[in-house]
Amino acid sequence: MICPGVQIIDQCLLWGRVQYFEWFRPFIKLFDEPLYPNIEFFKDFALSVELTVFFKALSLMKSPPSLMGLVEQSYRSYHEDIWKDKTECINELIYHIRSLLRNKENRSLIRARNKRIAKNLKSCRKLTEMLFEKYGDLSVLHIDLAIKPLKQDLEHNHLTDLETAFHSHQNLEQLKGKVAQLWANRRHNHTLQHIVGRILKFEHSIKKGFYVHAIFLIKSHASHDLQPSCKLEITRQWLQITQNKGCTYDCYLASYPSNNIGYGLNENTTVREKLMLSIEYRCKAQKFFIFKLLDSKEYRTLQKSQCPVSIAN
């Protein structure tokens, strides 16, 4: 078999040692116990090609793959059936996954997805570069915008029940409308007028429901930092728009790749790269699975403001 994940070495009669190949090591914990995935859990999600292939490969197996009991580098005695069944089962799963991924249709779907991701990233990179060119130094604000769930939504929040009103099309439309209103209010708000660009990623979680991760690019000011005042004003406006039913979250407090992105972006190449890594993270966030409502062609989960007119023009 090409590229197996595990093999038995130094075998003598019933004795031997388990050896994992380097490429397979990150996946060992996945097989610590037999895999019995409940595919029904994913019925409300659009799955990536890789996940679809993984579940398909599992369905082709006669028994669930497991490495339980096979300790690497431990020279010990096993019954021959344990050697054979466990190692061959894992390597058979690997074979099925690789075969399915080489399928022409699957390769085409992966290329199309990667092309979309690259297009989104290129578009966001162009926006930020043109903003840097026009305004010079910028500061960046990462903030989540959401509508607080009702008490009954929190009490009835079963992992496999996503057909409640809390996860409904209506709630997504409501969120989109509130976000559009916030951006429209910027035109008549002295503080928010310092925001010169935005990148929005509509997301969904079982606990939060629908929410927006917003990246706001803010003009620098010679005498003081405008980021804190913009953050406070966004929060104030959001509470007003949602009639105190909304909430915001400062993503600098989380362990996202957006951490430590702040000021002087035009001068600091490293910090600018951190911004692009954060944007790239957002572009790839839907790579594995996404709530079906957000996967609809009706919605653009990643939205950005228009590029400014070039100085050269």
Side-chain angles (χ1 to χ4, degrees), residues 133-192:
E133 177 186 348
K134 181 170 183 177
Y135 297 104
D137 290 353
L138 299 172
S139 59
V140 181
L141 173 62
H142 289 257
I143 190 168
D144 285 353
L145 305 171
I147 297 174
K148 289 182 288 188
L150 300 175
K151 183 178 179 181
Q152 57 264 34
D153 293 326
L154 293 174
E155 292 174 347
H156 180 79
N157 204 10
H158 196 275
L159 294 179
T160 59
D161 185 6
L162 299 180
E163 297 180 0
T164 62
F166 182 54
H167 304 285
S168 68
H169 178 277
Q170 181 180 354
N171 273 14
L172 176 57
E173 284 293 332
Q174 182 185 23
L175 179 65
K176 285 179 59 182
K178 302 297 185 186
V179 171
Q181 186 177 345
L182 174 66
W183 187 246
N185 289 357
R186 161 182 160 273
R187 302 172 188 170
H188 310 290
N189 186 289
H190 176 73
T191 301
L192 298 186

Side-chain angles (χ1 to χ4, degrees), residues 8-9 17 29-30 37 46-47 54 73 82 95 107 123 136 141 175 182 188 199 203 212 220 223 245 282 287 296 303:
I8 306 300
I9 61 174
R17 290 189 297 122
K29 288 185 177 181
L30 181 63
L47 303 183
F54 181 73
Q73 301 303 333
I82 296 180
Y95 171 78
R107 284 188 294 157
S123 177
L141 173 62
L175 179 65
L182 174 66
H188 310 290
I199 298 172
E203 301 185 1
V212 177
S220 293
S223 60
K245 296 178 182 178
R282 294 296 163 188
K287 183 175 180 180
S296 169
Q303 301 178 11

